[in-house]
């Protein structure tokens, strides 16, 4: 049976992007559930992996996003069954929350656009982050942040403004604060008014992301392929 990953999409514009394409080219079929529509989430996780995407919610914001409760249950099931998990931005925060960490709304300085990320020494033996260079850029878009990692989690990456850029729970569950799925072209759709409120120039933000993507894109594509390998290993 082919390996399949369930992808939970939390907003209309927050699709799997290039990350989904990278998984598919590495042999993992992607089934996207647009949970916000609503598109019913399965009661049980029958896929070999779950990927939770970003969105402007806290991980327990059940009043505004009632699908987050069943999403947390799916992630908890995946952790209990040692199935691969990959959480992006809100998805990473949700993984931290489910595993016993802490997420704080409006914490620290927001990160928007291409941002340098430092890979920590603890990542040397990590299946996904071990091959990464010591420093790489990633596209960020968040105001909330993880403020305490789950017990026993491995801290994999950090940035100047956000301590917990990446972490691993157990052997096969990863959370990231940044957006490896987002290509620089997507920045052209970002709200210029909101960017101006943070003192950012939309054109400059796009130029920097496009320049950084020349070296960053192959890095995140390789990481997605290594996650796909973990998913294939979990397939029956």
């Amino acid at each position: 049976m082919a390996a399949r990953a369930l992808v939970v999409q939390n907003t209309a514009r927050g699709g799997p992007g290039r990350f989904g394409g990278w998984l598919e080219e590495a042999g993992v079929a992607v089934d996207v559930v647009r949970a916000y529509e609503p598109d019913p989430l399965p009661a049980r996780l029958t896929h070999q992996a779950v990927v939770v995407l970003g969105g402007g919610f806290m991980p327990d914001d059940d009043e505004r996003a009632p699908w987050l409760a069943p999403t947390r249950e799916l992630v908890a099931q995946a952790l209990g069954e040692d199935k691969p998990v990959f959480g992006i931005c809100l998805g990473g925060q949700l993984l931290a929350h489910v595993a016993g960490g802490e997420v704080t709304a409006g914490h620290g300085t927001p990160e928007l656009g291409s941002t340098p990320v430092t890979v920590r020494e603890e990542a040397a033996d990590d299946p996904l982050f071990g091959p990464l260079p010591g420093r790489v850029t990633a596209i960020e878009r968040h105001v909330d942040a993880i403020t305490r990692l789950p017990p026993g989690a491995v801290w994999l990456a950090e940035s100047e403004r956000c301590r917990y850029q990446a972490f691993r729970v157990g052997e096969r569950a990863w959370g990231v604060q940044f957006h490896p799925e987002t290509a620089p072209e997507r920045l052209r759709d970002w709200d210029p008014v909101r960017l101006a409120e943070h003192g950012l120039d939309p054109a400059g933000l796009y130029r920097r992301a496009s320049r950084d993507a020349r070296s960053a894109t192959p890095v995140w594509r390789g990481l997605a392929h290594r996650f796909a390998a973990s998913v294939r290993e979990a397939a029956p």
Side-chain angles (χ1 to χ4, degrees):
M1 186 174 77
R4 308 191 72 86
L6 177 72
V7 178
V8 181
Q9 182 174 333
N10 297 294
T11 64
R13 294 188 176 184
R18 59 186 186 176
F19 197 84
W22 291 335
L23 292 182
E24 290 185 331
E25 71 183 19
V28 174
V30 171
D31 296 324
V32 179
V33 176
R34 294 170 178 84
Y36 56 90
E37 285 191 342
D39 194 349
L41 286 161
R44 295 284 299 170
L45 181 64
T46 57
H47 291 68
Q48 283 72 53
V50 59
V51 177
V52 183
L53 302 174
F57 308 102
M58 288 289 284
D60 58 352
D61 195 354
D62 297 350
E63 183 173 343
R64 290 198 302 152
W67 64 87
L68 290 175
T71 300
R72 294 195 300 272
E73 293 175 5
L74 291 174
V75 169
Q77 180 192 337
L79 291 176
E81 297 178 1
D82 195 28
K83 289 185 175 183
V85 177
F86 198 87
I88 294 173
C89 197
L90 166 61
Q93 296 169 1
L94 187 142
L95 171 62
H97 177 85
V98 169
E102 183 176 301
V103 182
T104 303
H107 179 79
T109 304
E111 290 183 306
L112 297 163
S114 185
T115 301
V117 173
T118 300
V119 179
R120 294 172 56 85
E121 292 182 1
E122 295 93 322
D125 297 327
D126 184 77
L128 267 57
F129 283 80
L132 263 64
R135 197 169 175 86
V136 62
T137 57
I139 291 177
E140 306 270 1
R141 191 181 185 185
H142 72 99
V143 296
D144 309 325
I146 298 165
T147 48
R148 180 171 55 83
L149 288 179
V154 180
W155 184 9
L156 300 172
E158 61 190 326
S159 69
E160 182 178 345
R161 293 181 175 181
C162 180
R163 296 187 73 194
Y164 302 123
Q165 285 288 343
F167 64 98
R168 189 184 77 243
V169 175
E171 297 300 320
R172 300 193 194 198
W174 291 269
V176 300
Q177 186 59 72
F178 51 87
H179 287 272
E181 86 285 8
T182 300
E185 291 73 26
R186 290 292 306 278
L187 273 66
R188 289 174 164 171
D189 298 329
W190 289 9
D191 183 358
V193 175
R194 183 187 178 195
L195 294 176
E197 290 174 352
H198 293 285
L200 297 171
D201 168 47
L205 214 61
Y206 170 70
R207 285 195 302 270
R208 178 175 180 179
S210 298
R211 179 198 67 203
D212 292 347
R214 298 168 194 165
S215 57
T217 296
V219 171
W220 303 125
R221 180 171 179 258
L223 182 143
H225 283 188
R226 291 189 292 277
F227 180 71
S230 179
V231 178
R232 294 197 308 271
E233 291 171 3

